[in-house]
Each structure stands twice: as structure tokens, then as C-alpha cells.
Amino acid sequence: MSAGRASEGAGCVTWWGFSPARDLLSTGPVKYEGDANILIVGSGDPRHILKTIAGLQEKQSVYIWVIENSMEVVARQLLLLYLALIPQKNMGLNEKTEVFLEVFGNSEIRSKTGETIRLAASQLSLSVTESLEEASHACLNTTLLKFRERDELDRIFKLWTRNLTPSSLSPISMSKAWDYRLRQHLGMRYDSKHGCFDWDLTMKMHEKGGRLIEKQQYHQWRERGLAFEMREGVYQTTNPSLLSSREFIQRGNKVSVRGYWGDIVSSPYLSFGIESDDKGLLKTQNGIHTKTAQDVSFANVQRLFQSLSSRRGCPTTTLPHTDSETTLVDTKSVPIKDLMDLRGISVIFLPLDSLQKLHEKQKYSRSFNTIYFSASCAHRLEPTLRQIAAPDAVLVVELAKYILDLNKEQEEGFSHKVTSMALEAGFEPWNEGTGGDAHVVFTQQTKGK
């Protein structure tokens, strides 16, 4: 009996990470107090960026350099950072948190959220085409991308804008695209999909530590792609930031198919919803968590946004919040230059193929204090890292713990391979602590080894 394609569950595009957010300057033996450089490879979302910024001292500065696998992921990273930086005078804190999570983890969104994406995309399109030498915002710096990459970003943003214009119907039905992925993944198990969902949740996710992920919410996400449904509303507008193109071979020819090609098993709850510094969110009653992964995601993201506002010295009070959607003010009034200015924080996007070229440029020599690799990019970990790593650098690699389609042997094999590649690059495991069992932390090898 065909069981479908288990390896397809994680997808070929990393829209969100397979691990919780980490403060990358505190994940290791050194707590940085001065300025720092961080290289992030393939994280798929800005969770580590936001968490790291939240942990900074007021006068501390950090440059965060980002390399991704595709321009679709870069475009989405820019969109999520844009939303995070909207001032509270334009969007209340509660509303911003809801919109961010809706865009982050929902295949389909409310029409009002679609309008927010459309307006944001128009601003981002202007940013990548007009800011050729100097970034229009330090946290949305695309000036080092190649011209063809910026042209591709502009094309993506304009595609979002066209698809979300009120008079336009999206040429892609997200519900059909999602169902296609489900059928492709489950094969003959599709007719008993709810049993498959239960097994993945209780026998895999919960056993690995994701007990905050509640059955009803997980089932809804697995079936429809809706992870965060926090308001009464109609969720039927395609979220264009979760669409991408994938090439298939048909009759000997390459055919590009646009659809949903991301994760359909592990869930977007992993990034913000399964851990919290607020232990009150982790309380249990009769062995059952009183809060869900959605609740914890909302609280964690809202706290991160409060930290952003606090860093720039502006008040953290929110606009009056009601159950209506009136807290969202006209997003047209937020051009890139009017987003929150996070003093001393820069996020710079590097070309897709730049990782193996950084060691050739003097400006990157011995410069990165922390280097992060996602599980999907761990294979790109090479010995040239030692030439761009600062003397006290920490290497953090995401493990395959929450890639649910892998069995225990495959998961352990992945971990051993990562350790082997890190050793070859001049790093050794940090045995005095860990980044949590979803990550492994390495420090530079002691001289003489």
C-alpha cells in the first residue's frame, strides 16, 4: 500500500523554522556586551532576529546578515520585518500581533489583512528599486543583493499587489494548493487523514516536547493551513507570501508550477508557540496545559514587539483595543522611512550564492560573532567558515528534532553529520550548555587539537 511521500512533509521551501526562537547572542558561553555581527543562513523567518534584538542592551548594536535559499523567502522576511516595525500610532499592538501571526502562519487570511499585505508590498517594491546604494531602512537593507535579485523581489511584491487588488481574483486557489500537498504527502492514507494527524501530534510532536500544540488547532492547520484564527472573520483570501514556484519535469521539459510548497506537518507553532520565558503560560491543570500554542505565540510575539518599541524610546501603550478591526490605521501612511527606527540595529540581506564567497572579502574576515545554520541549510556548512568567524565565535545549528517525518535513526544521523561538518570547519561541541535540544552549539576548537 502506498504511504505517500513522507519526505515531502517538510516541503522544499522553508517558510518558518523547525525550532523555537533564540537570542543568538546569548546562545553560547559568551554574553556579548559590545557591538556584534551575526550571520544567519536559511532561518526562513525572522524569529531569531526579533528574539536577539529583544535581548540587547539599550546602547548595544548588532549587524545581522541574512542569507536565504530563494527570493520568495527573502520577500516574506522583508514583509514580516516591515509589519514588526509599523509604529503603534499606525497599528495597535494587539492588532499588529494578530496580523503578524496571521501572515506568518495562515494559508488564507482575512481581506483586511490582505489589504495590509498589498500596501506593505507596494512600499517594499519602492524600497528595493529606489534604494540602490543606501538602504531606506537599516532593518530592510537589500542594497548588497544583485540587480537581478532586486528585480526578482520587485516582481514578487508587484505580484502580491496585483493578486490582492480588490478588483482582482487570485489565479491560485490556496485551498486547492494545500489539498494537493496533503494528497501528495499522505497518498492512500488521505482518506484516514485525521488518524494520521492524531498520530503525528500525540506520538511525535507531544513526545518531542510540543505539548502546547492543541489537537483542534493542529488539525485545523493540517487540514486547511490555518494556524492562527484569533478573530471572528472570514479567512478565505489567499496569503500570497506563502506561494512560490517549483520546477517539475513533464515529458522531458521543465515546467514551473506556482503553489504551496512549504511545511504541512510540523507547523508554524514551533517558532513562537512551544516555549516561553513567562512560566505562567506553561501552567497545567490535571496534566493539561491551560494555554495553547496559539496563546503562547500571541504572548511571545507581543512581548517582542513591546521590546522593539521600548528600544527606540517610544511608549509601549497601545491604541484602544476592541474586538473590531478599527485599530488598524491606514497603512499607506507608513512608507519605509517612517517605520520604527531601532537604534543600532541593522539587518542586511546578502545574495543567495554569497556564503561560499564571504571568506574572499576582507570586510568579512574574522567578523562574525555568531553564525547560525538552519536544518535545511546545514549541508552548506564548510571549512571556509573559520575564515569569517571571530576568534570567540559561536556556531549554532538547528537540528532535525521537529521535522516529524524523520525517524529516530535519521534524526540521530543528521546530528552526527552536523557535528562532523562542524569539526571539519574548526568548531567543537560546547559541552557546558546547549541551545536546547532543537539546536546544537559549537565553539571554536582549542588550539593544538
Side-chain angles (χ1 to χ4, degrees):
M1 182 177 74
S2 171
R5 301 180 184 180
S7 61
E8 285 282 333
C12 61
V13 182
T14 306
W15 293 129
W16 44 73
F18 294 99
S19 59
R22 287 283 177 268
D23 177 351
L24 294 178
L25 293 180
S26 296
T27 305
V30 180
K31 174 64 177 177
Y32 293 97
E33 296 181 355
D35 298 347
N37 283 288
I38 299 173
L39 177 64
I40 299 179
V41 183
S43 67
D45 65 48
R47 68 195 187 283
H48 302 313
I49 296 174
L50 296 174
K51 183 79 170 180
T52 301
I53 294 173
L56 291 176
Q57 300 297 317
E58 178 63 28
K59 295 183 179 179
Q60 196 174 4
S61 296
V62 64
Y63 290 86
I64 302 174
W65 310 77
V66 180
I67 299 174
E68 287 294 353
N69 278 326
S70 73
M71 296 316 296
E72 285 107 337
V73 176
V74 173
R76 181 169 150 86
Q77 285 254 36
L78 289 166
L79 170 64
L80 291 169
L81 287 171
Y82 175 97
L83 294 174
L85 294 169
I86 293 177
Q88 289 188 37
K89 66 180 182 181
N90 295 93
M91 188 184 289
L93 186 59
N94 287 293
E95 179 74 11
K96 181 162 74 169
T97 304
E98 291 173 352
V99 169
F100 179 92
L101 288 173
E102 196 175 323
V103 174
F104 180 78
N106 286 7
S107 63
E108 294 182 303
I109 53 180
R110 295 170 294 157
S111 59
K112 185 115 180 152
T113 302
E115 177 66 2
T116 301
I117 295 178
R118 187 182 72 81
L119 295 170
S122 65
Q123 293 293 337
L124 290 166
S125 177
L126 289 174
S127 174
V128 299
T129 55
E130 294 181 355
S131 305
L132 299 181
E133 296 182 1
E134 185 175 343
S136 54
H137 194 285
C139 292
L140 303 170
N141 190 338
T142 58
T143 59
L144 296 184
L145 295 177
K146 297 175 182 179
F147 284 111
R148 67 172 181 271
E149 291 175 329
R150 275 182 277 182
D151 288 342
E152 176 67 4
L153 280 179
D154 181 45
R155 185 193 69 80
I156 293 168
F157 291 136
K158 287 179 176 174
L159 181 62
W160 293 358
T161 303
R162 286 197 303 272
N163 288 349
L164 289 169
T165 300
S167 60
S168 172
L169 293 176
S170 173
I172 296 176
S173 166
M174 179 60 89
S175 61
K176 291 182 179 179
W178 189 273
D179 188 64
Y180 171 81
R181 290 276 287 114
L182 271 183
R183 290 177 181 274
Q184 179 191 46
H185 176 247
L186 295 176
M188 292 183 68
R189 297 179 298 159
Y190 180 84
D191 291 336
S192 57
K193 58 187 174 183
H194 291 286
C196 296
F197 300 165
D198 279 339
W199 178 268
D200 288 340
L201 180 64
T202 58
M203 302 304 294
K204 296 181 180 180
M205 183 64 77
H206 285 178
E207 290 300 310
K208 291 173 179 289
R211 293 185 178 274
L212 282 162
I213 301 178
E214 185 262 343
K215 176 179 176 179
Q216 183 178 350
Q217 291 176 356
Y218 182 73
H219 273 239
Q220 177 170 266
W221 176 74
R222 286 291 301 266
E223 183 142 30
R224 296 185 55 203
L226 294 183
F228 303 104
E229 194 171 7
M230 293 165 288
R231 284 181 178 265
E232 292 294 330
V234 180
Y235 291 78
Q236 62 181 21
T237 300
T238 292
N239 181 353
S241 75
L242 288 177
L243 294 175
S244 62
S245 297
R246 181 178 181 182
E247 286 191 346
F248 291 89
I249 302 297
Q250 292 184 358
R251 298 178 181 177
N253 298 316
K254 287 185 178 181
V255 178
S256 181
V257 180
R258 192 159 176 80
Y260 178 79
W261 306 114
D263 167 44
I264 57 168
V265 174
S266 296
S267 88
Y269 297 122
L270 296 173
S271 293
F272 301 107
I274 63 171
E275 293 183 355
S276 180
D277 297 329
D278 181 357
K279 301 309 177 186
L281 294 170
L282 308 179
K283 288 182 179 178
T284 61
Q285 187 171 2
N286 298 323
I288 300 174
H289 282 278
T290 59
K291 300 293 183 182
T292 67
Q294 175 175 290
D295 300 326
V296 174
S297 295
F298 183 91
N300 283 340
V301 171
Q302 187 175 70
R303 187 174 292 112
L304 293 175
F305 288 168
Q306 286 174 326
S307 296
L308 299 188
S309 295
S310 176
R311 181 171 180 81
R312 66 187 295 270
C314 68
T316 57
T317 55
T318 67
L319 292 173
H321 177 63
T322 67
D323 288 334
S324 69
E325 300 183 10
T326 57
T327 54
L328 180 60
V329 182
D330 185 2
T331 314
K332 287 183 197 173
S333 62
V334 194
I336 300 294
K337 63 182 180 64
D338 291 337
L339 295 173
M340 288 194 295
D341 178 17
L342 306 182
R343 295 187 297 265
I345 309 297
S346 295
V347 181
I348 308 106
F349 290 85
L350 294 170
L352 303 184
D353 64 351
S354 62
L355 181 61
Q356 273 64 50
K357 301 177 182 179
L358 294 182
H359 70 282
E360 299 172 357
K361 299 183 179 181
Q362 183 61 35
K363 67 179 290 186
Y364 302 116
S365 177
R366 310 291 182 188
S367 64
F368 294 109
N369 305 98
T370 301
I371 300 173
Y372 177 90
F373 279 81
S374 69
S376 61
C377 288
H379 64 282
R380 301 174 68 183
L381 204 165
E382 295 187 357
T384 53
L385 282 185
R386 71 183 72 192
Q387 296 173 245
I388 61 174
D392 58 352
V394 169
L395 171 65
V396 183
V397 183
E398 181 182 58
L399 295 177
K401 175 181 178 180
Y402 289 110
I403 301 179
L404 301 188
D405 283 335
L406 299 185
N407 60 37
K408 188 173 181 61
E409 291 72 25
Q410 290 171 319
E411 185 182 330
E412 291 177 349
F414 182 89
S415 181
H416 291 319
K417 181 64 175 177
V418 164
T419 299
S420 174
M421 296 174 74
L423 288 170
E424 189 176 351
F427 291 84
E428 60 188 5
W430 179 45
N431 296 321
E432 298 176 25
T434 69
D437 53 1
H439 296 97
V440 61
V441 181
F442 300 90
T443 56
Q444 292 214 35
Q445 290 177 355
T446 304
K447 289 184 179 180
K449 283 194 176 183

